[in-house]
Amino acid sequence: FPNNAFSLQINLRLILVSGKTKEFLFSPNDSAADIAKHVYDNWPMDWEEEQVSSPNILRLIYQGRFLHGNVTLGALKLPFGKTTVMHLVARETLPEPNSQGQRNREKTGESNCCVIL
């Protein structure tokens, strides 16, 4: 299926904070971690100033959300044959996915503070 495989690829246009862009082709089975590794291993010449020390700190942002490393492009239901834009940032840690838990606890009225013994 070599000629058919091409049509099942997803074209990603990655944008750096600096505004530089580059397009890459990936398969739906590729995860965010695979993409970071591929981009790191094939770092574009004109991105030299933004070169990072490790693929592990490269993060993808899609529609305003950080993608965790194990999320595949297929799971995001990205369209084949169209260009999908994502942002690529260097960041050591990701915001915790359950950061809203704090706010939800406040709404229930339970308070963990100010216990006087």
Side-chain angles (χ1 to χ4, degrees):
F1 315 107
N3 54 356
N4 192 19
F6 182 75
S7 64
L8 290 178
Q9 288 193 303
I10 293 167
N11 189 28
L12 282 190
R13 178 180 295 146
L14 300 179
I15 305 178
L16 296 179
V17 176
S18 64
K20 292 179 184 170
T21 67
K22 192 80 175 177
E23 295 191 6
F24 295 89
L25 282 173
F26 292 103
S27 107
N29 301 328
D30 286 329
S31 69
D34 296 331
I35 293 166
K37 175 102 174 69
H38 176 82
V39 172
Y40 179 81
D41 291 342
N42 300 275
W43 199 257
M45 292 289 285
D46 56 338
W47 286 11
E48 206 174 338
E49 293 162 28
E50 286 86 358
Q51 176 76 60
V52 294
S53 55
S54 155
N56 301 334
I57 64 168
L58 288 174
R59 308 286 182 207
L60 291 168
I61 302 175
Y62 176 56
Q63 294 183 337
R65 291 202 311 258
F66 280 96
L67 299 183
H68 286 265
N70 54 358
V71 173
T72 63
L73 296 181
L76 296 170
K77 298 182 171 47
L78 300 185
F80 298 115
K82 291 202 177 95
T83 300
T84 297
V85 176
M86 292 192 184
H87 289 84
L88 184 70
V89 297
R91 206 174 147 156
E92 294 286 344
T93 55
L94 276 182
E96 284 300 311
N98 57 2
S99 59
Q100 281 151 3
Q102 196 66 40
R103 284 201 294 278
N104 293 345
R105 267 205 301 279
E106 287 166 14
K107 284 187 197 127
T108 60
E110 293 171 16
S111 172
N112 300 342
C113 79
C114 315
V115 175
I116 300 169
L117 297 174

